[in-house]
Amino acid sequence: MSPTFDVQNPATGQRVQSVPNAGVAEARAAARRAIEAFPAWRDRTAYDRSAILRRWFTLMIGDEDRLARLMTEEMGKPITESRGEVKYAAAFVEWYAEEAKRVYGETVPSQFAHKRLLVRPQPVGPVYAVTPWNFPAAMITRKAAPALAAGCTFVVKPAEQSPLTALRLEELWREAGGPAEVFQVIATSEPAAVSTAFFDEPGIRKLTFTGSTEVGVLLAAQAAKTVKRVSLELGGHAPFLVFDDADLDAAVREVVLSKFRNTGQTCVCANRIYVQAGIHDAFASRLTEAVRALRVGDPMDPATNVGPLVDRQGHDKVSAHVDDAVSKGARALVGGAARDGLYFDPTVLADVRPGMRILEEETFGPIAPLVRFERDAEAVAAANGTPFGLAAYLWTRDLSRAFRVSEALDFGIVGVNDGVPSTPQAPFGGVKASGLGREGGKWGIEEYLDLKYVSIALG
Ligand code: SIN
């Protein structure tokens, strides 16, 4: 195995930097360090852990320029969005710096006069995290901040495409006074072998993963060998329902935000847009105008809205979805073609119908497919007709319809007239093939806590 590996800039195809390439020996050593450091970190007061997290947050905010540039260079996110991600990522650290002090236990009444029953939350233990390239900072802090606040030690393996942001976060952690063994980054071009070293180690007590359903299932099966706790944030295939009574301008604006954020590469991006017949043509034409106005280009340019896709594999999938839809009768109202390098035209497809791949799989690219519908029940059935259940969106001015439809949608997150519901204080996560567990808010820290029941019999 090569001692270093290269990180490529998807906008230019050039090497950004080489990073040390961890193998199985380094993975085992990192796991051992995390296990040995756990008792001391667990036993520090919540106030101590909170103070370190707070300093980490402040350092991240102060480092926005550098972190954002690294992110854009390594995975192509438009720089304005990368700056937004630094704030989003840091906000998880701030939230859990506060939440560390609010891990409460309970007392339970006993039927025996001499007994006292206590329920005490305990950190689950050392955690192994596997994080994706699409949010190189936020997907780490959304996991690390609650874990560290709870008293767990944490080793993260970032995606091969985006280790630089992760390594910078590790430097900032140490600058904040965080012990080196408590938060470690292990960058590698051999993810399967490195992960196995963590799965084989019984002292690693939890796996947390964000990525595809396919990989999540494999990792969860390996984690089961040593009965680790598991949280999985997996694939999405988000439906976006626009009803006849929707505020058209707001729906168009928010579908653009949802669909084209991060060049369409988020798990919660609108992937299928169902538009009711009475508003369909007006919506299609406004959306086409808005998408035509998006600026595609150098992600380092603050005026760029849509950058390159992360790699050739991602680009091929987007092209395949568009080709398949067009070959089966869909029409590109704008875009529809691959550009040089890893760029793809922001695209709106009309006349999209069941049987097209784009309605069955997550696209992870800047393609907005429109499907016409007549009745509410038809749209809800189509929206739910997927193995995935991460995020769904609906647009209406009718409060009763908003309640009825949001209750009927089989998803972990529903945006009602809101295309970007993610926020640190709310629970993020899916049902069905989209995963297990929640990240964010008071629920996010529970994923890193076990309950210890202490029964005390008085003399
Ligand atoms: C993701 O794509 O998994 C994260 C998106 C978000 O936090 O909004």
Side-chain angles (χ1 to χ4, degrees):
M1 194 183 75
S2 152
T4 59
F5 70 100
D6 288 347
V7 178
Q8 308 282 350
N9 181 332
T12 62
Q14 305 290 309
R15 185 174 71 94
V16 182
Q17 218 174 293
S18 286
V19 293
N21 196 6
V24 171
E26 288 81 7
R28 290 202 182 116
R32 269 196 306 275
R33 282 195 295 274
I35 293 164
E36 279 162 21
F38 171 61
W41 183 247
R42 175 195 61 200
D43 293 344
R44 284 176 81 154
T45 66
Y47 280 75
D48 270 0
R49 292 196 296 267
S50 167
I52 297 173
L53 285 166
R54 182 83 212 175
R55 287 196 292 274
W56 198 26
F57 158 74
T58 306
L59 289 171
M60 277 182 212
I61 292 294
D63 203 50
E64 179 184 310
D65 277 0
R66 181 156 169 195
L67 279 168
R69 283 185 74 82
L70 282 175
M71 228 183 272
T72 295
E73 279 173 358
E74 65 183 350
M75 52 69 70
K77 182 173 297 208
I79 189 76
T80 312
E81 284 192 49
S82 294
R83 287 181 173 282
E85 184 181 337
V86 175
K87 295 187 189 81
Y88 181 46
F92 285 101
V93 179
E94 184 186 38
W95 171 271
Y96 286 108
E98 293 157 2
E99 207 61 7
K101 300 178 226 162
R102 296 185 188 102
V103 175
Y104 303 132
E106 289 181 66
T107 59
V108 182
S110 169
Q111 69 275 41
F112 301 108
H114 70 292
K115 283 204 179 189
R116 303 291 179 270
L117 315 183
L118 312 183
V119 181
R120 304 187 57 183
Q122 310 278 313
V124 295
V127 175
Y128 177 53
V130 178
T131 56
W133 49 264
N134 65 339
F135 285 84
M139 293 307 99
I140 293 179
T141 57
R142 189 153 83 183
K143 295 168 165 39
L148 296 166
C152 299
T153 52
F154 193 90
V155 186
V156 55
K157 187 206 73 57
E160 304 83 283
Q161 294 94 333
S162 62
L164 301 177
T165 310
L167 290 164
R168 181 67 190 144
L169 290 178
E170 186 184 41
E171 284 171 9
L172 295 175
W173 165 259
R174 291 181 191 178
E175 242 178 80
E181 312 72 32
V182 167
F183 175 79
Q184 303 177 70
V185 174
I186 181 140
T188 181
S189 65
E190 303 284 338
V194 159
S195 288
T196 301
F198 287 93
F199 294 132
D200 287 347
E201 174 51 74
I204 296 289
R205 296 308 316 137
K206 164 137 189 154
L207 161 71
T208 172
F209 170 71
T210 294
S212 70
T213 300
E214 198 187 0
V215 174
V217 167
L218 290 175
L219 298 188
Q222 289 196 65
K225 287 187 298 185
T226 45
V227 198
K228 300 188 196 308
R229 281 271 294 268
V230 171
S231 304
L232 304 170
E233 198 261 275
L234 306 177
H237 188 30
F240 194 105
L241 276 45
V242 186
F243 291 94
D244 279 346
D245 63 350
D247 173 339
L248 195 55
D249 290 334
V252 168
R253 185 187 65 234
E254 298 274 323
V255 88
V256 169
L257 281 178
S258 168
K259 175 69 260 185
F260 296 95
R261 174 175 173 227
N262 202 16
T263 312
Q265 302 170 112
T266 86
C267 303
V268 291
C269 273
N271 213 69
R272 315 169 268 152
I273 303 162
Y274 296 93
V275 192
Q276 205 157 18
I279 204 176
H280 178 279
D281 293 352
F283 180 85
S285 109
R286 298 263 193 107
L287 180 64
T288 302
E289 267 172 56
V291 171
R292 191 170 283 121
L294 292 174
R295 239 168 107 163
V296 181
D298 175 4
M300 276 299 177
D301 180 345
T304 292
N305 305 114
V306 175
L309 291 157
V310 74
D311 57 21
R312 183 52 53 196
Q313 203 189 341
H315 191 273
D316 287 351
K317 185 173 188 194
V318 172
S319 292
H321 277 197
V322 172
D323 292 349
D324 171 74
V326 170
S327 74
K328 291 175 180 159
R331 282 178 301 125
L333 301 180
V334 58
R339 295 194 182 186
D340 287 347
L342 294 176
Y343 286 88
F344 202 98
D345 277 340
T347 298
V348 178
L349 294 176
D351 302 334
V352 174
R353 293 200 179 81
M356 297 179 183
R357 277 183 71 187
I358 202 158
L359 291 189
E360 283 156 15
E361 299 167 27
E362 188 175 31
T363 307
F364 242 55
I367 317 298
L370 303 184
V371 184
R372 190 187 292 264
F373 74 90
E374 302 283 343
R375 292 173 301 105
D376 292 22
E378 182 196 337
V380 169
N384 286 341
T386 170
F388 298 104
L390 184 55
Y393 306 89
L394 67 108
W395 248 259
T396 178
R397 286 181 165 118
D398 176 341
L399 187 61
S400 305
R401 179 184 254 162
F403 268 98
R404 269 198 312 271
V405 175
S406 64
E407 286 164 7
L409 287 169
D410 210 359
F411 290 80
I413 303 165
V414 178
V416 178
N417 300 330
D418 182 3
V420 191
S422 309
T423 183
Q425 65 274 32
F428 185 103
V431 297
K432 304 196 301 192
S434 291
L436 296 174
R438 291 294 179 270
E439 295 183 328
K442 65 174 184 163
W443 305 272
I445 201 163
E446 287 168 7
E447 302 285 335
Y448 298 94
L449 295 167
D450 278 329
L451 294 181
K452 179 179 282 179
Y453 160 51
V454 183
S455 174
I456 304 172
L458 306 183

